[in-house]
Amino acid sequence: MAQSKFDPRLVRRAQDGDGLAREVLLRRLAQVFKNYFRAKVGNQAIVDDLMQCALIRVHSGLSALKHPDRFKAFAMKAALFELHDYYRGRHSPKEQTYDTQILSEKAEAASDRFESTLDIERVLSVLTPHVRRILELREYGYKYKEIANILGTTETAVKMQVKRAFEKMRNVFAEE
Amino acid sequence: MHDSGMEQFDKIDAILHEGGLTLEERQSFMEALESDPDLARSYAGWQQICAHLRSRLPDTHLFVLYSLVTGGHAGELSEEESDEIRANWGVVDRVVESHPGFAEAAVQIEQDRQDFLECWDQVDRPLRKLPSWSYRIAAVIAILAVCFVAVLTLRDSDTALQTIAAASGEYERVELPDGSVAHLNGPATIRFDERDFVRSVTFNGQAFFDIIHQSDPFTVQTDEAFIHVLGTRFGVRSQQGATHVVLESGQVEVASNAQGLPTVMLEPGQMTKVTDGAPPGPSSQVELENALSWTGFIFLRQTPLSRAATLLSESRNVRVEVDPSLVNETVTGTFAPDAEIEEILNALALALGTVVHTEGGVFRIAP
C-alpha cells in the first residue's frame, strides 16, 4: 500500500528523537512551505524567512503534538500563523521608519489640540461599509492589490475608494 | 477633489502603508507638514484612524483558530487550541461581527488553508510500493536470522529510510546513493534516506567510510558527534557513550552533539574521541594499523612484508609465507574486509615485482 511522505510513523520517530527521521520530515515539509509561501507572497527573501520561521515553529512544537496522524493540520496551522503574522507585521510599528516618527511628531506639534478631540467613531461613520471593509483589510496588512483580489475588483478601483474616503474624512477633520 | 489633495493623500498613504517615497519626497513632505496646518491635521487624523483600526485587530493566533472553526474545521485544532478559542470566542467574534474587513480576512484564511492543502498534496505524492525484490530480500533476511547469520538489511517502507545493520563479527558493504561506501564491521547500524539522499547518515557501531568528493559536505551523525567531510576515508567507532574518529586520508571536522562547543579538524593519521555533550578531544597521531583494526580493514603503511603476511594470515584464516629474501621489503595498501586473499597478495606481488605460489592451501610470496 502506498505510504504518505508524512507517515505518522515517521512523525513519531522524529518526536522520539530520531535525528534522521526529523531531518527527513522537515526537509519534506520545507518543500510544502516553500511552494505555499511562494504562491502567497512571491518575494524570495520573504519566502525564505517565512519558510524558516514556519519550520522552527514545527520543530519546536513537534514534541508536543499528541497525535502524529494530525501532522498535516499541525503544519498547516504553522504556515497560517506565520503568513498572517507577516501580513500584520507589514504595518506594525516596528516596520515604521524613523522618518515616520519624525513626521508624526511634526504632525502632532501642528495639530495638538485637534488630536485630543478627534472622535474616531464619528469620522468612521461617514464611510460606507464597503470602504470600511477596504480600510480594515488594509490595516490587517493586505496590500491594495491583494485587497482587490479578495474583493474581486481592480487595484485602481480600491485605491480610488480609499482616496475618496480620505477626502471625506478630511472634511470631518476640518470640523473637529 | 483637486490635484494637490490627491497628491497629499498619496504621500500620506505612501508613508503609512505602501512605502516608495524617496528621501527628497519625505523631506519635502516634512517641510509641508510644518508649513501647512491643514495637511498636518489630515495626516495626524488619518494616522489615528489607521491606528484605531489596527488596535481593534484580534490576536493573530486566536484569529486563525477562530477562522478555522468558522470555516468548519474545528477538528483540526488541538485540544489546547480548542480550549483557547473557546475561552476567547466572544472577544474575537464581537470584533469580527463589527468589522466587515476582518470578517473578510477570516474568509481569506479559509482560502489560505485550501491553498496550503493543495501545496501539501503536490509534495505528498505517496511513496511507491516496494518492488517485489525487496520482499524477497526480507524473506532471505528472515532465513539468515534463523541461521544466526546476523547481517540484516531492513527497509523502512513508510519513509524510504534505509536501515542496514551488521551483527557482531559480520561485515557489510553499504553503497550509499551518492556513490560513497560505508564498510560496516558489526556491530553497526547505519540509516539514511535512500530516496532523497542529502549526504547525511546516522550511525552507531564500527565502520570505515569511503566518501566520494562532492561540493556538498557529507555528515556522519552518531549519538555523540557530527563528522563533516567533503571527500575522504575515515573510521568511526561509536560505542558505549563515545565516538572515536580516525582519519586515513583527506580532512574531517568533528563536532560534539552539543551546540556551541569547539570542533576539531583531523589530518591523515590523526584521531579524536567525543563523549556525550563534551567537545571533541584534541587530535592525536596514531598508527592506522592499530587505530583502525576494529574496522576490519588491513592498513599497511611501509609495513614490513613479514608483518603484512602475519596480518593477512590472521584476518583471512589462511597461511601466508614470505621468502627470507623478502622479509625486509615494505608494503603500503588498504584492503577492505571483503577483499579476497588472492586479490590482496597479487596486488602486493605486483608492487614488489614478485610472485605468489599456492601449494597445499599455503600462499608463498617469492622473488
Side-chain angles (χ1 to χ4, degrees):
Chain A
M1 182 181 165
Q3 299 286 343
S4 165
K5 284 185 182 175
F6 303 94
D7 189 282
R9 285 171 290 183
L10 177 65
V11 177
R12 176 59 75 194
R13 284 184 195 170
Q15 288 181 305
D16 290 345
D18 184 328
L20 184 60
R22 182 171 285 241
E23 185 186 329
V24 168
L25 186 71
L26 293 180
R27 192 173 59 249
R28 291 174 180 170
L29 186 58
Q31 191 59 50
V32 178
F33 284 156
K34 191 173 186 178
N35 294 349
Y36 179 64
F37 291 128
R38 189 181 285 156
K40 286 291 175 187
V41 180
N43 181 298
Q44 190 57 48
I46 297 170
V47 168
D48 289 343
D49 282 350
L50 289 173
M51 187 175 73
Q52 290 301 322
C53 289
L55 285 173
I56 289 169
R57 197 185 277 266
V58 170
H59 177 77
S60 56
L62 188 60
S63 56
L65 178 64
K66 289 180 182 168
H67 306 285
D69 57 335
R70 292 189 183 176
F71 182 72
K72 188 193 221 174
F74 173 66
M76 179 267 293
K77 285 178 284 184
L80 291 185
F81 292 147
E82 287 303 329
L83 180 66
H84 285 264
D85 271 345
Y86 162 70
Y87 287 148
R88 302 280 190 98
R90 280 172 171 171
H91 300 332
S92 70
K94 69 182 177 187
E95 299 291 325
Q96 303 285 339
T97 62
Y98 177 67
D99 285 19
T100 308
Q101 290 175 11
I102 295 173
L103 289 169
S104 298
E105 287 164 10
K106 290 187 181 300
E108 282 171 20
S111 58
D112 211 18
R113 183 192 60 79
F114 154 78
E115 190 179 0
S116 61
T117 59
L118 180 63
D119 183 347
I120 290 174
E121 288 303 331
R122 190 173 93 80
V123 177
L124 285 172
S125 70
V126 304
L127 304 176
T128 65
H130 181 62
V131 170
R132 273 196 72 151
R133 183 179 286 116
I134 291 173
L135 290 184
E136 286 166 1
L137 280 168
R138 198 183 58 162
E139 294 314 313
Y140 187 90
Y142 289 113
K143 295 191 170 186
Y144 287 131
K145 191 175 181 181
E146 292 163 340
I147 295 170
N149 286 336
I150 291 170
L151 299 179
T153 183
T154 65
E155 183 179 356
T156 307
V158 170
K159 288 178 86 168
M160 189 54 69
Q161 294 269 12
V162 177
K163 285 179 180 179
R164 285 179 184 153
F166 174 70
E167 281 304 309
K168 268 189 179 178
M169 289 187 187
R170 204 173 174 191
N171 293 332
V172 180
F173 297 155
E175 294 167 10
E176 289 286 330
Chain B
M1 189 162 74
H2 50 80
D3 284 344
S4 63
M6 291 293 280
E7 286 169 7
Q8 285 175 355
F9 170 76
D10 282 340
K11 287 180 180 173
I12 290 173
D13 199 45
I15 288 167
L16 286 180
H17 296 101
E18 300 288 319
L21 282 190
T22 65
L23 201 60
E24 290 73 21
E25 286 171 331
R26 283 170 183 259
Q27 187 63 38
S28 160
F29 188 68
M30 286 170 72
E31 289 167 8
L33 279 181
E34 286 178 333
S35 62
D36 183 349
D38 179 56
L39 177 62
R41 180 181 295 242
S42 300
Y43 174 72
W46 190 244
Q47 198 177 31
Q48 281 186 68
I49 296 295
C50 296
H52 170 78
L53 290 176
R54 281 199 297 274
S55 74
R56 309 296 295 166
L57 278 168
D59 170 78
T60 307
H61 188 82
L62 288 173
F63 188 60
V64 168
L65 297 181
Y66 171 90
S67 304
L68 290 173
V69 174
T70 54
H73 311 294
E76 292 176 350
L77 272 57
S78 67
E79 291 161 22
E80 292 78 9
E81 289 167 338
S82 296
D83 291 343
E84 195 181 357
I85 193 60
R86 200 175 293 122
N88 293 280
W89 185 267
V91 177
V92 182
D93 196 45
R94 275 194 294 279
V95 172
V96 172
E97 285 292 315
S98 57
H99 293 79
F102 300 161
E104 201 74 55
V107 172
Q108 190 58 29
I109 287 175
E110 169 60 17
Q111 181 61 49
D112 294 339
R113 174 188 169 278
Q114 288 177 20
D115 293 342
F116 179 87
L117 297 181
E118 279 180 23
C119 289
W120 180 281
D121 289 341
Q122 285 169 9
V123 171
D124 190 22
R125 294 197 176 93
L127 299 172
R128 284 182 302 157
K129 190 175 178 181
L130 287 174
S132 58
W133 58 264
S134 297
Y135 293 111
R136 279 192 227 124
I137 289 175
V140 170
I141 288 166
I143 294 167
L144 292 178
V146 171
C147 296
F148 301 100
V149 178
V151 176
L152 305 177
T153 300
L154 298 173
R155 180 175 177 137
D156 295 305
S157 61
D158 58 325
T159 65
L161 292 185
Q162 180 88 340
T163 301
I164 298 175
S168 183
E170 296 295 331
Y171 166 77
E172 180 79 359
R173 175 189 167 95
V174 181
E175 291 196 21
L176 300 169
D178 69 337
S180 299
V181 178
H183 301 269
L184 307 190
N185 189 29
T189 304
I190 189 170
R191 299 185 70 202
F192 55 94
D193 185 355
E194 187 179 36
R195 210 159 64 95
D196 300 319
F197 189 65
V198 289
R199 287 179 49 95
S200 177
V201 300
T202 54
F203 173 76
N204 268 293
Q206 306 178 131
F208 187 73
F209 289 87
D210 189 348
I211 306 301
I212 65 162
H213 190 280
Q214 285 184 6
S215 55
D216 292 335
F218 190 105
T219 300
V220 177
Q221 180 184 349
T222 69
D223 287 343
E224 300 84 20
F226 292 90
I227 302 141
H228 305 292
V229 306
L230 285 176
T232 183
R233 290 157 62 89
F234 58 99
V236 179
R237 188 182 206 183
S238 174
Q239 288 177 333
Q240 299 171 339
T243 292
H244 296 78
V245 184
V246 182
L247 182 64
E248 187 215 42
S249 64
Q251 194 176 51
V252 303
E253 180 183 33
V254 183
S256 166
N257 60 358
Q259 292 187 343
L261 297 178
T263 62
V264 164
M265 299 294 294
L266 292 185
E267 299 294 334
Q270 291 185 335
M271 73 154 287
T272 185
K273 176 183 172 184
V274 191
T275 54
D276 190 27
S283 60
S284 58
Q285 208 68 33
V286 293
E287 292 288 337
L288 291 178
E289 178 192 322
N290 297 322
L292 285 172
S293 60
W294 41 265
T295 63
F297 272 64
I298 295 174
F299 295 93
L300 306 175
R301 295 292 181 274
Q302 295 294 311
T303 306
L305 191 55
S306 56
R307 169 68 182 158
T310 302
L311 289 172
L312 290 169
S313 297
E314 290 172 353
S315 70
R316 297 301 189 271
N317 200 25
V318 295
R319 187 170 167 191
V320 179
E321 296 179 347
V322 178
D323 187 275
S325 64
L326 298 173
V327 291
N328 292 326
E329 295 287 341
T330 59
V331 287
T332 296
T334 301
F335 301 100
D338 59 345
E340 298 291 340
I341 184 67
E342 292 87 352
E343 181 188 340
I344 297 171
L345 292 176
N346 285 334
L348 296 180
L350 188 65
L352 293 169
T354 59
V355 293
V356 179
H357 300 293
T358 308
E359 191 175 338
V362 177
F363 297 91
R364 181 177 177 82
I365 304 174

